[in-house]
Amino acid sequence: MNEINDIVADIKRKILKPIYFLMGEEPYYIDQISDFIEENVLDESEKGFNQQVMYGRDVTIEDIIAAAKRYPMMAERQVIIVKEAQDLSKTIEKFASYAENPQPTTVLVFNYKYKTLDKRKKLYKDIAKSGLIFESKKMYENQVSDWIRRVLSGKKYQIEPKAALMLVEFLGTDLSKIFNELKKLMIILPEGTIINDKHIEENIGISKDFNNFELRKAIGEKNVLKSNRIINYFAENPKGNPLIVTISLLNVFFTQLLFFHGLQDKSKKSVASSLGINPYFADEYFLAARNYPIQKVTSVLSYLRDADMKSKGVGANQNEGDILKELIFKILH
């Protein structure tokens, strides 16, 4: 985040690089920086003649270099943005000739999503010397909830931990998807709102009672009735509740529980830090650890591996609902 803030601050001060090479697995920040350059480097009156958007699938490296070498018209600089630049990955090394000596009156932006340059090669070194390289790394699941909180805080909203976890569970770690849902909430809800699970259910369509978070909690509590209600709901709505996601999340939970059993310092703060969880959820692990001693946890991890294989059609001919029901029965008994 600090690196992004520094880039944006320099652009605002008109401290510009001739090349911005934005690359990596997380497209959200690539789009954010690229859009900021597109919207703020040139005045509206200058954009008509001096701002151009290209797409990697439609152009060659030679086309980009030729455009970048042109001089701006009635302006200090021109801006060229190459979107979906990863489509040029097979020929990207040809860009080294320009990167070595870029046109100072051109701001050239590459949106190179889901890929990175080889840091050992000349191209990377040339761009790093003459321009700016930003690598947008994928966030881990346990980092996304905090990111949601920071984004909302900057917009004068708050969010309860359970609501943030529901978003992560439903949308994964795709920051663009999550941000789009947050925008919907911010349009509907007034500033200062503390977003809770009910807001998520009513406005995004994620059930606050029948989701993997609630299933994990019910299993941790050994609440057989609640667990069975949730898995019956999942069995009736398999498209919205894929088995592979449920198995993955339960595997993470019981792996963390195994780690919990091995901790010497079991203070709430230490547990939250060691497991990479919000302290709000730490009590669930204390309860689950009492219900699942270490021997049972290792058995559950074995059940989860077996269910994962069955879900992939190995060693069984069961539908997802039956695999899930069998799995939860084994875990709870």
Side-chain angles (χ1 to χ4, degrees):
M1 285 293 290
N2 289 338
E3 185 182 2
I4 297 158
N5 291 338
D6 289 343
I7 293 169
V8 169
D10 281 346
I11 294 168
K12 285 179 178 178
R13 294 197 299 266
K14 301 297 181 184
I15 302 172
L16 298 163
K17 300 288 187 180
I19 303 169
Y20 289 84
F21 203 95
L22 314 175
M23 64 183 191
E25 290 297 318
E26 178 47 69
Y28 175 79
Y29 286 118
I30 293 173
D31 287 335
Q32 290 290 300
I33 296 170
S34 177
D35 291 348
F36 189 82
I37 291 171
E38 187 173 352
E39 291 164 11
N40 293 280
V41 169
L42 298 181
D43 295 335
E44 288 302 321
S45 60
E46 297 172 324
K47 288 180 181 178
F49 290 110
N50 296 293
Q51 187 152 291
Q52 184 178 3
V53 175
M54 298 177 164
Y55 289 86
R57 65 179 177 272
D58 299 327
V59 296
T60 64
I61 294 295
E62 290 80 6
D63 295 332
I64 296 166
I65 292 173
K69 285 183 175 179
R70 296 188 197 116
Y71 289 97
M73 293 181 64
M74 296 176 290
E76 287 185 28
R77 57 182 62 87
Q78 67 166 338
V79 173
I80 299 172
I81 297 170
V82 185
K83 297 190 176 184
E84 309 302 333
Q86 67 274 10
D87 289 342
L88 294 162
S89 61
K90 291 181 180 178
T91 56
I92 196 68
E93 293 299 325
K94 292 182 180 180
F95 185 66
S97 61
Y98 178 86
E100 197 171 8
N101 185 28
Q103 173 65 264
T105 55
T106 295
V107 175
L108 178 56
V109 184
F110 281 84
N111 293 356
Y112 200 76
K113 297 177 180 178
Y114 314 110
K115 292 180 181 288
T116 58
L117 294 177
D118 188 333
K119 296 178 182 179
R120 300 166 297 177
K121 292 193 174 180
K122 185 176 184 296
L123 175 60
Y124 182 93
K125 294 172 183 176
D126 285 342
I127 297 175
K129 187 175 180 180
S130 64
L132 180 144
I133 296 178
F134 171 76
E135 184 174 353
S136 186
K137 295 180 180 178
K138 202 80 174 171
M139 277 191 179
Y140 294 111
E141 215 165 81
N142 61 3
Q143 297 173 309
V144 179
S145 291
D146 190 50
W147 176 85
I148 292 170
R149 181 190 59 75
R150 291 198 309 270
V151 169
L152 289 172
S153 178
K155 305 288 186 182
K156 300 181 181 178
Y157 291 83
Q158 296 179 57
I159 188 166
E160 292 182 354
K162 179 183 174 182
L165 193 65
M166 286 170 64
L167 285 171
V168 178
E169 180 206 318
F170 189 68
L171 300 169
T173 58
D174 188 323
L175 301 188
S176 297
K177 281 185 182 177
I178 294 172
F179 186 71
N180 285 337
E181 297 301 333
L182 293 179
K183 281 198 296 187
K184 292 178 190 175
L185 290 171
M186 288 186 281
I187 290 169
I188 296 164
L189 303 172
E191 278 187 9
T193 299
I194 300 174
I195 297 168
N196 58 34
D197 54 359
K198 190 174 181 184
H199 294 130
I200 301 295
E201 181 176 50
E202 290 175 350
N203 298 296
I204 298 179
I206 308 169
S207 171
K208 67 182 178 67
D209 296 316
F210 299 102
N211 57 66
N212 281 306
F213 167 75
E214 289 296 331
L215 176 61
R216 187 193 77 181
K217 187 178 178 183
I219 288 171
E221 295 170 350
K222 279 211 165 180
N223 187 328
V224 176
L225 180 61
K226 185 176 178 182
S227 297
N228 280 300
R229 281 177 177 165
I230 294 170
I231 63 172
N232 285 333
Y233 176 85
F234 283 7
E236 291 169 6
N237 301 275
K239 287 187 178 179
N241 304 277
L243 178 60
I244 190 169
V245 173
T246 301
I247 291 173
S248 175
L249 291 171
L250 289 177
N251 188 67
V252 169
F253 177 61
F254 278 97
T255 300
Q256 288 173 322
L257 206 53
L258 187 65
F259 191 63
F260 175 94
H261 278 294
L263 290 176
Q264 301 234 337
D265 182 357
K266 286 190 170 67
S267 65
K268 188 178 286 190
K269 183 178 179 182
S270 175
V271 166
S273 174
S274 299
L275 300 185
I277 60 171
N278 189 304
Y280 175 88
F281 300 111
D283 286 337
E284 292 180 24
Y285 289 81
F286 285 95
L287 177 58
R290 288 195 293 272
N291 287 328
Y292 298 90
I294 192 166
Q295 296 86 351
K296 179 64 175 179
V297 173
T298 55
S299 296
V300 170
L301 289 170
S302 176
Y303 302 153
L304 287 162
R305 285 192 294 272
D306 183 53
D308 181 54
M309 296 299 289
K310 287 180 179 178
S311 73
K312 294 167 182 171
V314 179
N317 185 23
Q318 296 171 273
N319 62 43
E320 289 195 355
D322 289 340
I323 294 170
L324 180 59
K325 289 174 183 177
E326 180 185 343
L327 170 64
I328 302 308
F329 178 83
K330 287 179 178 179
I331 292 174
L332 292 172
H333 292 84

